[in-house]
Amino acid sequence: MWNKALHHNWSRVLMGVFGTALMAVGTNIFIVPQGLYSGGLYGLCQVIRTLLSTVGGITVTQVDLAGILYLLLNLPLFWVGIRTMGYSFMVKTIICTISNSLFLTLIPIPATPIITDILTSCLLAGIIGGFGFGLLLTCGCSTGGMDIIGLYLSKKGGGFTVGKISMAFNVLLYMMYLFLFNASTAIYSAISSVFGSLFTDKFHQQNITVQVLIFSKQQGSELAQFIMQKLGRGITYWEGRGAYTDEGLRVLCVCLSKYEIDELQDHVHEIDPSAFFIIQEGVRVEGAFDRNLT
Protein backbone atom coordinates (compact mmCIF):
# COMPACT_ATOMS: atom_id res chain seq x y z
CA MET A 1 0.00 0.00 0.00
CA TRP A 2 2.84 2.37 0.90
CA ASN A 3 4.68 1.68 -2.36
CA LYS A 4 1.53 2.16 -4.44
CA ALA A 5 0.86 5.48 -2.70
CA LEU A 6 4.38 6.64 -3.57
CA HIS A 7 3.57 6.15 -7.26
CA HIS A 8 0.14 7.83 -7.26
CA ASN A 9 0.19 11.54 -8.09
CA TRP A 10 -2.22 12.93 -5.52
CA SER A 11 -1.07 10.54 -2.80
CA ARG A 12 2.46 11.78 -3.42
CA VAL A 13 1.34 15.39 -3.03
CA LEU A 14 -0.46 14.60 0.24
CA MET A 15 2.59 12.78 1.59
CA GLY A 16 4.72 15.69 0.42
CA VAL A 17 2.53 18.08 2.43
CA PHE A 18 2.93 15.74 5.41
CA GLY A 19 6.69 15.96 4.88
CA THR A 20 6.52 19.76 5.07
CA ALA A 21 4.62 19.46 8.36
CA LEU A 22 7.38 17.26 9.79
CA MET A 23 10.00 19.77 8.66
CA ALA A 24 8.12 22.60 10.38
CA VAL A 25 7.74 20.55 13.57
CA GLY A 26 11.47 19.87 13.68
CA THR A 27 12.22 23.57 13.23
CA ASN A 28 9.60 25.23 15.44
CA ILE A 29 9.60 22.68 18.27
CA PHE A 30 13.30 21.86 18.58
CA ILE A 31 15.40 24.53 16.80
CA VAL A 32 13.80 27.92 17.38
CA PRO A 33 13.21 27.50 21.18
CA GLN A 34 16.95 26.86 21.60
CA GLY A 35 17.73 30.18 19.92
CA LEU A 36 19.21 28.36 16.92
CA TYR A 37 18.70 28.83 13.21
CA SER A 38 17.85 26.53 10.34
CA GLY A 39 19.81 26.11 7.16
CA GLY A 40 18.94 27.02 3.60
CA LEU A 41 16.71 29.86 2.50
CA TYR A 42 14.51 29.55 5.58
CA GLY A 43 17.55 30.09 7.81
CA LEU A 44 18.21 33.31 5.93
CA CYS A 45 14.59 34.31 6.53
CA GLN A 46 15.04 33.67 10.25
CA VAL A 47 18.03 36.00 10.28
CA ILE A 48 16.04 38.69 8.47
CA ARG A 49 13.21 38.26 10.98
CA THR A 50 15.64 38.63 13.89
CA LEU A 51 17.24 41.73 12.39
CA LEU A 52 13.83 43.30 11.71
CA SER A 53 12.94 42.73 15.35
CA THR A 54 16.21 43.82 17.00
CA VAL A 55 17.29 46.57 14.63
CA GLY A 56 14.08 47.73 12.97
CA GLY A 57 11.73 47.15 15.89
CA ILE A 58 9.29 45.21 13.66
CA THR A 59 7.75 42.34 15.64
CA VAL A 60 4.79 40.06 14.87
CA THR A 61 3.60 38.26 18.00
CA GLN A 62 0.85 35.96 16.73
CA VAL A 63 2.78 34.20 13.96
CA ASP A 64 6.36 33.57 12.92
CA LEU A 65 7.30 36.22 10.36
CA ALA A 66 10.04 33.99 8.93
CA GLY A 67 7.44 31.70 7.34
CA ILE A 68 5.89 34.62 5.45
CA LEU A 69 9.29 35.89 4.33
CA TYR A 70 10.17 32.39 3.12
CA LEU A 71 7.15 32.30 0.83
CA LEU A 72 7.89 35.75 -0.57
CA LEU A 73 11.54 34.94 -1.33
CA ASN A 74 10.51 31.75 -3.10
CA LEU A 75 8.34 33.54 -5.65
CA PRO A 76 11.18 34.44 -8.09
CA LEU A 77 12.62 30.92 -7.78
CA PHE A 78 9.41 29.38 -9.08
CA TRP A 79 10.21 30.67 -12.56
CA VAL A 80 13.64 29.04 -12.42
CA GLY A 81 12.01 25.77 -11.41
CA ILE A 82 9.49 25.87 -14.26
CA ARG A 83 12.27 26.35 -16.80
CA THR A 84 14.60 23.70 -15.39
CA MET A 85 12.44 21.07 -13.66
CA GLY A 86 9.15 21.22 -15.56
CA TYR A 87 5.57 22.36 -14.97
CA SER A 88 4.36 19.26 -13.10
CA PHE A 89 7.20 19.46 -10.61
CA MET A 90 6.58 23.15 -10.00
CA VAL A 91 2.85 22.66 -9.36
CA LYS A 92 3.74 20.28 -6.54
CA THR A 93 6.49 22.64 -5.41
CA ILE A 94 4.12 25.59 -5.15
CA ILE A 95 1.61 23.50 -3.15
CA CYS A 96 4.29 22.24 -0.76
CA THR A 97 6.01 25.62 -0.44
CA ILE A 98 2.74 27.26 0.57
CA SER A 99 1.93 24.46 3.02
CA ASN A 100 5.44 24.58 4.47
CA SER A 101 5.22 28.35 4.93
CA LEU A 102 1.84 27.97 6.64
CA PHE A 103 3.12 25.27 8.99
CA LEU A 104 6.23 27.31 9.83
CA THR A 105 4.09 30.38 10.45
CA LEU A 106 1.28 28.78 12.45
CA ILE A 107 2.84 25.94 14.47
CA PRO A 108 3.32 27.42 17.97
CA ILE A 109 6.90 27.87 19.13
CA PRO A 110 7.37 26.82 22.79
CA ALA A 111 8.41 29.65 25.08
CA THR A 112 11.01 27.36 26.65
CA PRO A 113 12.78 24.37 25.07
CA ILE A 114 10.95 21.06 25.43
CA ILE A 115 14.32 19.33 25.73
CA THR A 116 16.93 21.27 27.65
CA ASP A 117 19.97 19.60 26.09
CA ILE A 118 20.86 21.53 22.93
CA LEU A 119 22.65 18.66 21.19
CA THR A 120 19.68 16.33 21.68
CA SER A 121 17.38 18.98 20.24
CA CYS A 122 19.67 19.27 17.22
CA LEU A 123 19.63 15.51 16.69
CA LEU A 124 15.83 15.26 16.96
CA ALA A 125 15.34 18.21 14.63
CA GLY A 126 17.71 16.60 12.12
CA ILE A 127 15.95 13.23 12.28
CA ILE A 128 12.41 14.61 12.03
CA GLY A 129 13.20 17.34 9.53
CA GLY A 130 15.52 15.12 7.46
CA PHE A 131 12.92 12.37 7.26
CA GLY A 132 10.25 14.89 6.27
CA PHE A 133 12.51 16.43 3.63
CA GLY A 134 13.53 13.03 2.26
CA LEU A 135 9.87 11.98 2.06
CA LEU A 136 9.08 15.25 0.31
CA LEU A 137 11.77 14.69 -2.33
CA THR A 138 10.87 11.01 -2.76
CA CYS A 139 7.32 12.10 -3.59
CA GLY A 140 8.69 14.34 -6.34
CA CYS A 141 7.89 17.52 -4.40
CA SER A 142 9.92 20.43 -3.14
CA THR A 143 9.65 23.43 -0.82
CA GLY A 144 11.51 25.72 -3.21
CA GLY A 145 14.56 27.60 -2.04
CA MET A 146 17.74 25.54 -2.19
CA ASP A 147 15.70 22.47 -3.17
CA ILE A 148 15.36 23.76 -6.73
CA ILE A 149 19.06 24.52 -7.05
CA GLY A 150 20.04 21.23 -5.38
CA LEU A 151 17.75 19.12 -7.56
CA TYR A 152 18.90 20.93 -10.70
CA LEU A 153 22.59 20.33 -9.96
CA SER A 154 21.90 16.74 -8.86
CA LYS A 155 20.17 16.11 -12.19
CA LYS A 156 23.27 17.37 -13.97
CA GLY A 157 25.38 14.74 -12.20
CA GLY A 158 28.96 15.30 -11.08
CA GLY A 159 28.43 13.66 -7.69
CA PHE A 160 26.03 16.35 -6.44
CA THR A 161 23.21 15.45 -4.07
CA VAL A 162 20.56 17.64 -2.50
CA GLY A 163 22.14 17.09 0.91
CA LYS A 164 25.59 18.09 -0.30
CA ILE A 165 24.33 21.25 -2.01
CA SER A 166 22.41 22.19 1.10
CA MET A 167 25.46 21.63 3.27
CA ALA A 168 27.68 23.79 1.04
CA PHE A 169 25.21 26.68 1.14
CA ASN A 170 24.90 26.34 4.89
CA VAL A 171 28.66 26.74 5.38
CA LEU A 172 28.34 30.31 4.15
CA LEU A 173 25.14 30.82 6.09
CA TYR A 174 26.63 29.68 9.40
CA MET A 175 29.64 31.91 8.90
CA MET A 176 27.11 34.73 8.87
CA TYR A 177 25.58 33.36 12.08
CA LEU A 178 29.03 33.43 13.65
CA PHE A 179 29.49 37.05 12.65
CA LEU A 180 26.00 38.24 13.67
CA PHE A 181 25.48 36.18 16.83
CA ASN A 182 28.02 33.96 18.61
CA ALA A 183 30.04 30.79 18.18
CA SER A 184 27.62 28.60 20.16
CA THR A 185 24.65 29.57 18.00
CA ALA A 186 26.59 28.99 14.78
CA ILE A 187 28.05 25.64 15.86
CA TYR A 188 24.86 24.06 17.18
CA SER A 189 22.87 25.35 14.21
CA ALA A 190 25.45 23.77 11.90
CA ILE A 191 25.24 20.46 13.80
CA SER A 192 21.49 20.39 13.32
CA SER A 193 21.91 21.10 9.61
CA VAL A 194 24.45 18.29 9.19
CA PHE A 195 22.11 15.81 10.86
CA GLY A 196 19.27 16.96 8.61
CA SER A 197 21.37 16.67 5.44
CA LEU A 198 22.51 13.13 6.32
CA PHE A 199 18.95 11.96 6.97
CA THR A 200 17.72 13.70 3.81
CA ASP A 201 20.11 11.73 1.61
CA LYS A 202 19.23 8.54 3.52
CA PHE A 203 15.48 8.84 2.89
CA HIS A 204 15.57 10.38 -0.61
CA GLN A 205 15.09 7.17 -2.60
CA GLN A 206 15.68 8.68 -6.05
CA ASN A 207 19.09 9.78 -4.83
CA ILE A 208 20.15 6.17 -4.11
CA THR A 209 21.46 4.38 -7.21
CA VAL A 210 20.84 0.64 -7.33
CA GLN A 211 22.27 -2.08 -9.54
CA VAL A 212 19.93 -5.00 -10.19
CA LEU A 213 20.75 -8.40 -11.64
CA ILE A 214 17.64 -10.32 -12.70
CA PHE A 215 17.84 -14.07 -13.30
CA SER A 216 14.91 -15.24 -15.41
CA LYS A 217 14.06 -18.31 -17.47
CA GLN A 218 11.82 -16.23 -19.74
CA GLN A 219 13.56 -15.86 -23.09
CA GLY A 220 11.23 -13.25 -24.59
CA SER A 221 11.87 -9.50 -24.81
CA GLU A 222 8.83 -8.39 -22.79
CA LEU A 223 10.78 -7.68 -19.62
CA ALA A 224 13.57 -5.83 -21.43
CA GLN A 225 11.02 -3.75 -23.34
CA PHE A 226 9.25 -2.81 -20.10
CA ILE A 227 12.49 -1.63 -18.50
CA MET A 228 13.48 0.43 -21.53
CA GLN A 229 10.08 1.90 -22.39
CA LYS A 230 8.31 2.24 -19.03
CA LEU A 231 11.26 2.96 -16.75
CA GLY A 232 13.38 4.63 -19.40
CA ARG A 233 16.46 2.63 -18.43
CA GLY A 234 19.08 0.98 -20.58
CA ILE A 235 19.63 -2.70 -19.97
CA THR A 236 22.28 -5.30 -20.73
CA TYR A 237 21.62 -9.02 -20.73
CA TRP A 238 23.49 -12.21 -21.46
CA GLU A 239 22.67 -15.86 -21.70
CA GLY A 240 23.58 -18.02 -18.71
CA ARG A 241 23.12 -21.56 -17.45
CA GLY A 242 22.21 -22.78 -14.00
CA ALA A 243 24.89 -25.11 -12.60
CA TYR A 244 22.42 -27.21 -10.58
CA THR A 245 19.82 -27.84 -13.30
CA ASP A 246 22.02 -27.13 -16.33
CA GLU A 247 19.07 -25.18 -17.75
CA GLY A 248 19.43 -22.00 -19.75
CA LEU A 249 18.46 -18.66 -18.30
CA ARG A 250 18.81 -14.97 -19.06
CA VAL A 251 20.70 -12.56 -16.79
CA LEU A 252 19.61 -8.93 -17.07
CA CYS A 253 21.61 -6.06 -15.59
CA VAL A 254 20.14 -2.59 -15.05
CA CYS A 255 20.97 0.47 -12.96
CA LEU A 256 18.12 2.60 -11.59
CA SER A 257 17.05 4.47 -8.50
CA LYS A 258 15.77 2.81 -5.33
CA TYR A 259 12.44 4.54 -5.95
CA GLU A 260 11.93 2.44 -9.11
CA ILE A 261 12.73 -0.94 -7.55
CA ASP A 262 9.19 -1.81 -6.42
CA GLU A 263 7.66 -1.16 -9.84
CA LEU A 264 10.38 -3.27 -11.47
CA GLN A 265 9.91 -6.17 -9.05
CA ASP A 266 6.12 -6.18 -9.44
CA HIS A 267 6.36 -6.36 -13.21
CA VAL A 268 9.08 -9.03 -13.21
CA HIS A 269 7.01 -11.24 -10.90
CA GLU A 270 4.03 -10.91 -13.25
CA ILE A 271 6.13 -12.15 -16.18
CA ASP A 272 8.21 -14.75 -14.36
CA PRO A 273 7.18 -15.63 -10.78
CA SER A 274 10.28 -17.80 -10.41
CA ALA A 275 12.73 -15.01 -11.26
CA PHE A 276 15.02 -13.73 -8.52
CA PHE A 277 17.07 -10.58 -7.98
CA ILE A 278 20.43 -9.46 -6.73
CA ILE A 279 20.11 -5.83 -5.60
CA GLN A 280 23.08 -3.70 -4.61
CA GLU A 281 22.42 -0.22 -3.24
CA GLY A 282 24.63 2.82 -3.31
CA VAL A 283 26.61 1.91 -6.42
CA ARG A 284 28.51 4.65 -8.21
CA VAL A 285 27.39 5.31 -11.78
CA GLU A 286 29.27 7.53 -14.24
CA GLY A 287 28.41 8.63 -17.74
CA ALA A 288 25.01 8.95 -19.43
CA PHE A 289 22.76 7.92 -16.55
CA ASP A 290 19.52 9.84 -15.95
CA ARG A 291 18.89 10.06 -12.22
CA ASN A 292 15.17 10.93 -12.53
CA LEU A 293 15.16 12.84 -9.24
CA THR A 294 11.62 14.14 -9.55
Side-chain angles (χ1 to χ4, degrees):
M1 181 177 181
W2 168 258
N3 292 324
K4 290 182 178 180
L6 280 178
H7 291 83
H8 186 275
N9 284 337
W10 285 111
S11 296
R12 296 179 76 195
V13 172
L14 290 176
M15 286 190 290
V17 171
F18 176 67
T20 66
L22 290 178
M23 293 167 60
V25 167
T27 298
N28 284 12
I29 302 300
F30 296 104
I31 294 297
V32 179
Q34 295 285 4
L36 305 179
Y37 292 83
S38 300
L41 186 63
Y42 183 69
L44 182 61
C45 292
Q46 289 177 307
V47 173
I48 296 174
R49 175 204 60 199
T50 300
L51 294 177
L52 287 175
S53 177
T54 57
V55 178
I58 301 175
T59 303
V60 180
T61 57
Q62 299 299 322
V63 296
D64 188 354
L65 184 61
I68 299 174
L69 293 173
Y70 180 70
L71 178 60
L72 295 176
L73 292 181
N74 264 290
L75 295 179
L77 292 176
F78 289 158
W79 174 247
V80 177
I82 291 175
R83 292 178 61 88
T84 58
M85 306 304 294
Y87 177 77
S88 176
F89 170 75
M90 285 311 302
V91 169
K92 291 180 287 187
T93 293
I94 292 172
I95 293 173
C96 290
T97 301
I98 292 174
S99 66
N100 189 41
S101 298
L102 289 174
F103 287 131
L104 288 168
T105 302
L106 300 177
I107 290 179
I109 298 174
T112 58
I114 295 177
I115 298 176
T116 57
D117 183 68
I118 299 180
L119 189 58
T120 302
S121 294
C122 292
L123 177 59
L124 289 174
I127 293 174
I128 296 173
F131 174 77
F133 195 18
L135 176 62
L136 180 81
L137 295 175
T138 296
C139 292
C141 303
S142 165
T143 56
M146 293 305 298
D147 300 3
I148 296 176
I149 298 175
L151 285 170
Y152 174 73
L153 293 178
S154 295
K155 200 174 182 65
K156 291 294 183 180
F160 293 110
T161 67
V162 175
K164 290 178 181 178
I165 297 299
S166 175
M167 196 177 299
F169 177 83
N170 288 335
V171 169
L172 298 176
L173 189 63
Y174 293 129
M175 289 177 63
M176 179 171 33
Y177 294 164
L178 181 63
F179 175 76
L180 293 175
F181 307 114
N182 54 62
S184 178
T185 298
I187 291 173
Y188 281 113
S189 296
I191 290 174
S192 175
S193 176
V194 169
F195 283 143
S197 296
L198 292 175
F199 278 95
T200 293
D201 282 346
K202 182 66 176 178
F203 290 111
H204 184 195
Q205 292 187 11
Q206 290 97 321
N207 200 46
I208 302 174
T209 305
V210 176
Q211 181 188 49
V212 181
L213 293 178
I214 306 169
F215 297 81
S216 173
K217 294 181 180 180
Q218 296 290 331
Q219 297 299 313
S221 62
E222 183 180 354
L223 180 56
Q225 290 298 319
F226 166 78
I227 294 174
M228 291 186 291
Q229 296 176 6
K230 180 66 175 179
L231 299 180
R233 298 298 187 184
I235 186 170
T236 301
Y237 69 86
W238 57 91
E239 303 298 332
R241 185 168 294 275
Y244 182 75
T245 62
D246 199 34
E247 294 181 358
L249 54 81
R250 178 169 291 182
V251 183
L252 302 96
C253 178
V254 60
C255 288
L256 64 169
S257 73
K258 186 177 179 180
Y259 175 77
E260 298 166 305
I261 285 294
D262 294 311
E263 186 176 6
L264 174 63
Q265 288 180 317
D266 289 342
H267 193 80
V268 171
H269 287 151
E270 290 178 3
I271 299 175
D272 183 6
S274 64
F276 70 94
F277 301 77
I278 296 177
I279 301 174
Q280 182 179 1
E281 292 188 12
V283 296
R284 180 175 178 178
V285 180
E286 300 290 345
F289 177 73
D290 190 354
R291 302 181 70 183
N292 293 339
L293 291 174
T294 60

